[in-house]
C-alpha cells in the first residue's frame, strides 16, 4: 500500500507526515490525541542516514513530547548492503535506534509498529519488532532471511528448508507465519483507524511475544527457555 493512502486510512482526523529520501516523519491525530510517526517507504534500505534520522525523531519526541505515543510505519528491505555502511558500523547505528526506542518505552511512550508493505532483516528488527506490539496488513511481506540465503548460511539444502517451511513458521515468510510465532500481534483487515486506536490503548511494555508464539503453536520452546533462564538468574 502507498504510504499516503495508508496515512489517510490510519489518520482520518488529520496528519502532517512528510517523506524525505524514503524516511517518513510527522504526527497524526488518533482518538483525540496527537501521536508521533516515524517510518520508511519505497522498500527503504536502512543505511546510517535513515537509522540516524529515525533515532533523532524518537529522541526529539522523548525530549519535546513526554509520553506521546509513537507509531512506526514499516516498509524496508533491511539494512543497506554497502561497503561504506559496513565500514561506518551500520550495526551500531541500528543498535542505537533500538536503544532509542527502548528509552522511549522506559519513559512511558507507547510504541506501536505496523508493517504495511515489506519488512526484512535488521531493518525490521530495529523498528517494528522494537515496538510494544507490531501489526501487519494482509499483503505485507515479512521475513528475516530468505530461504536461499538461509541455505547458504546454514549449509542446509534449500529443498530441505522449503519442506520445513511447509510445517514450521520459523522457516517460512509471511505475515501469517509471524502471527503464529508471536512477532506480529494481529493482522489488520478492516477499519485501520479503529485498529490503531485499539492498538495504542492496549500497548503493553511487557514483552509477550514468546508466550504468544507458544500459545499459537508457532514457537514451542522459546517461552519455556526464557522462563528457565529467568528462573536461573534469580537463583543466588
Amino acid at each position: 500500500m502507498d504510504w499516503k493512502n495508508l496515512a489517510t486510512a490510519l489518520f482520518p482526523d488529520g496528519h502532517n507526515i512528510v517523506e524525505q529520501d524514503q524516511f517518513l516523519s510527522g504526527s497524526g491525530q488518533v482518538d483525540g490525541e496527537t501521536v508521533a510517526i516515524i517510518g520508511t517507504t519505497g522498500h527503504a534500505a536502512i543505511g546510517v542516514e535513515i537509522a540516524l534520522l529515525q533515532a533523532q525523531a524518537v529522541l526529539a519526541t522523548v525530549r519535546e513530547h513526554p509520553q506521546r505515543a509513537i507509531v512506526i510505519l514499516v516498509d524496508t528491505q533491511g539494512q543497506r548492503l554497502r561497503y561504506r555502511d559496513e565500514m561506518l558500523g551500520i550495526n551500531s547505528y541500528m543498535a542505537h535506534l533500538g536503544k532509542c526506542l527502548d528509552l522511549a518505552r522506559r519513559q512511558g511512550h507507547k510504541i506501536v509498529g505496523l508493517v504495511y508493505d515489506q519488512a526484512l532483516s535488521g531493518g525490521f528488527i530495529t523498528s517494528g519488532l522494537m515496538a510494544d506490539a507490531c501489526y501487519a496488513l494482509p499483503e505485507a511481506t515479512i521475513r528475516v532471511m530468505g530461504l536461499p540465503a538461509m541455505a547458504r548460511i546454514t549449509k542446509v539444502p534449500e529443498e530441505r528448508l522449503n519442506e520445513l517451511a511447509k510445517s514450521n513458521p520459523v522457516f517460512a515468510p509471511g505475515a501469517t507465519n509471524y502471527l503464529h510465532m508471536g512477532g506480529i500481534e494481529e493482522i489488520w483487515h478492516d477499519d485501520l483507524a479503529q485498529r490503531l486506536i485499539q492498538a495504542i490503548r492496549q500497548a503493553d511494555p511487557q514483552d509477550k511475544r514468546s508466550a504468544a508464539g507458544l500459545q499459537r503453536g508457532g514457537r514451542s520452546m522459546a517461552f519455556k527457555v526464557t522462563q528457565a533462564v529467568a528462573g536461573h538468574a534469580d537463583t543466588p
Side-chain angles (χ1 to χ4, degrees), residues 39-50:
T40 49
T41 189
H43 302 345
I46 308 301
V48 297
E49 296 85 0
I50 288 185

Side-chain angles (χ1 to χ4, degrees), residues 1-171:
M1 178 183 288
D2 177 77
W3 76 262
K4 294 180 181 178
N5 294 332
L6 175 71
T8 299
L10 286 173
F11 310 105
D13 292 333
H15 70 85
N16 63 0
I17 304 173
V18 295
E19 176 189 352
Q20 175 188 346
D21 297 328
Q22 299 183 308
F23 168 62
L24 302 176
S25 63
S27 62
Q29 297 301 310
V30 178
D31 198 24
E33 301 288 338
T34 301
V35 302
I37 303 160
I38 66 170
T40 49
T41 189
H43 302 345
I46 308 301
V48 297
E49 296 85 0
I50 288 185
L52 282 177
L53 286 170
Q54 290 184 96
Q56 182 182 45
V58 173
L59 292 178
T61 300
V62 173
R63 181 174 59 250
E64 300 168 13
H65 307 287
Q67 300 189 340
R68 173 176 287 185
I70 299 173
V71 178
I72 306 173
L73 303 180
V74 182
D75 176 19
T76 174
Q77 61 182 275
Q79 65 267 34
R80 189 164 61 195
L81 302 177
R82 290 185 183 174
Y83 182 79
R84 170 181 176 273
D85 291 273
E86 294 295 333
M87 290 297 97
L88 288 173
I90 182 60
N91 58 310
S92 296
Y93 287 82
M94 298 181 80
H96 173 63
L97 171 57
K99 291 176 182 178
C100 290
L101 288 167
D102 183 59
L103 171 67
R105 179 173 16 259
R106 292 171 186 269
Q107 294 297 317
H109 295 262
K110 294 183 175 183
I111 307 175
V112 172
L114 175 62
V115 181
Y116 69 97
D117 198 314
Q118 181 172 273
L120 275 65
S121 190
F124 180 38
I125 293 171
T126 55
S127 58
L129 286 182
M130 281 298 297
D132 296 333
C134 188
Y135 301 82
L137 298 187
E139 61 272 22
T141 299
I142 306 175
R143 65 176 184 268
V144 171
M145 182 179 290
L147 293 185
M150 192 182 298
R152 291 194 297 270
I153 296 297
T154 64
K155 308 305 179 184
V156 176
E158 187 176 345
E159 295 76 12
R160 175 57 177 159
L161 293 178
N162 278 312
E163 285 298 316
L164 290 170
K166 295 177 182 178
S167 59
N168 192 326
V170 172
F171 293 93

